[in-house]
Amino acid sequence: MGMQAAVRLFYPPTCLCCNEVIGSDGLCGACWRDTPFISGSVCDRCGAPALGEEAGVCDDCRTLQPPWGKGRAALTYGENARRMILALKHGDRQDLARPAGRWMARAAEPILTAGMIVAPVPLHWLRLLRRRYNQSALLSRALARSAGLAHAPDLLLRTRHTGTQDGHDRQGRFENMTGALRVRRPAQVEGRHILLVDDVMTTGATLAAAAEACLDAGASDVSVVVLARVDKRP
C-alpha cells in the first residue's frame, strides 16, 4: 500500500465545511448545495451577482470606478462561505486553500490571460506574526497553480498597520488604506498584467489600494479575484 493510500485509509477525506467523511476532497452534497457559489451574470468589475445592470457593470462600480479593470468572485459572502473563510483566517484550516483556489480559478477563467502575475494582498508583519500565515497568499498560490500562472507572494508590502476594516464605513475604509501598500520591486511589475487575490471583498478599499500601488509601479493592467464578494443586492 502506498503512503497516500495509507493516509486516506486512516484519515479519510472529510467535508471542508461540516467534517462529514466523504469520498474525495471537497464538500459533501448537502454543504455543496448550501454554499453560495456565484453563477450566471456578474458585474465585470467586481464579480458581484448581476441584477439587470447594463453593460455588465454594477451601479457601485460605475460610481466608484475602481482602479482595476476586471474582477471575479467564487462565492457570495454568507452561510457556508463565511464559515469556511473564518476557519481559514482564524481556525488554522489551511487545507481549505487548495479547493478554494480551484473555485477561484474557475470563477476567474473569463478574465485570465497568459503572462499574468498572481499576487496576494499582504498582511502587515505584526498581524502575520500573530497569525503565522497570510490566508490570501495561500489562496493566490493555489489559484496560480491551478491556472498555470506565475505566483509572486511577496510582490506587495503593507507599509503600516491599518488594523481591521470592521467598524469603518465605506469612506473610512478607503481613508484607512490610503498609501498603506507599495510594490517591493517595481521592475517586477513594469509592463505586466497583475492579478490581485484576496479572501473577501466588501467595499473594495484594500484591493483598490493594492491596484493603485501596482499601477503606480508601472503595471500595464490589474485584475482582481476574491474567494467571496459581499452581496450588494437588497
Side-chain angles (χ1 to χ4, degrees), residues 121-132:
V121 169
L123 292 178
H124 188 266
W125 70 269
L126 286 173
R127 181 170 293 180
L128 184 61
L129 188 64
R130 289 196 297 268
R131 193 175 294 170
R132 297 184 295 106

Side-chain angles (χ1 to χ4, degrees), residues 3-80:
M3 178 64 70
Q4 188 172 13
V7 169
R8 285 186 173 272
L9 177 63
F10 291 103
Y11 301 99
T14 59
C15 173
L16 296 170
C17 194
C18 72
N19 291 322
E20 178 182 341
V21 174
I22 55 178
S24 60
D25 295 331
L27 298 169
C28 69
C31 287
W32 184 273
R33 289 189 298 271
D34 291 339
T35 299
F37 287 95
I38 295 175
S39 60
S41 299
V42 299
C43 171
D44 201 38
R45 298 290 290 276
C46 72
L51 192 62
E53 293 87 352
E54 298 177 3
V57 178
C58 69
D59 289 341
D60 270 5
C61 287
R62 277 199 294 269
T63 300
L64 294 174
Q65 291 294 307
W68 62 82
K70 294 181 181 294
R72 290 295 187 272
L75 309 169
T76 299
Y77 189 68
E79 304 172 12
N80 286 348

Side-chain angles (χ1 to χ4, degrees), residues 55-193:
V57 178
C58 69
D59 289 341
D60 270 5
C61 287
R62 277 199 294 269
T63 300
L64 294 174
Q65 291 294 307
W68 62 82
K70 294 181 181 294
R72 290 295 187 272
L75 309 169
T76 299
Y77 189 68
E79 304 172 12
N80 286 348
R82 181 177 182 274
R83 188 176 300 118
M84 287 188 287
I85 288 170
L86 291 178
L88 174 62
K89 290 176 71 168
H90 305 298
D92 203 20
R93 287 293 307 276
Q94 298 183 46
D95 58 304
L96 290 165
R98 186 165 64 176
R102 292 197 299 266
W103 301 338
M104 295 167 73
R106 186 163 58 243
E109 187 174 2
I111 67 171
L112 298 181
T113 62
M116 269 182 164
I117 297 177
V118 182
V121 169
L123 292 178
H124 188 266
W125 70 269
L126 286 173
R127 181 170 293 180
L128 184 61
L129 188 64
R130 289 196 297 268
R131 193 175 294 170
R132 297 184 295 106
Y133 61 90
N134 177 4
Q135 75 280 353
S136 296
L138 297 179
L139 293 171
S140 65
R141 181 178 64 185
L143 186 157
R145 184 174 299 170
S146 181
L149 295 171
H151 185 221
D154 62 347
L155 186 79
L156 289 160
L157 175 69
R158 194 175 291 245
T159 57
R160 59 182 173 81
H161 188 34
T162 55
T164 178
Q165 291 280 61
D166 296 341
H168 291 286
D169 60 13
R170 172 177 283 173
Q171 181 177 349
R173 285 173 179 253
F174 277 88
E175 290 175 350
N176 189 41
M177 290 304 304
T178 300
L181 302 175
R182 68 172 176 84
V183 173
R184 290 177 185 270
R185 295 176 291 277
Q188 190 175 7
V189 305
E190 188 172 356
R192 303 296 297 273
H193 190 163

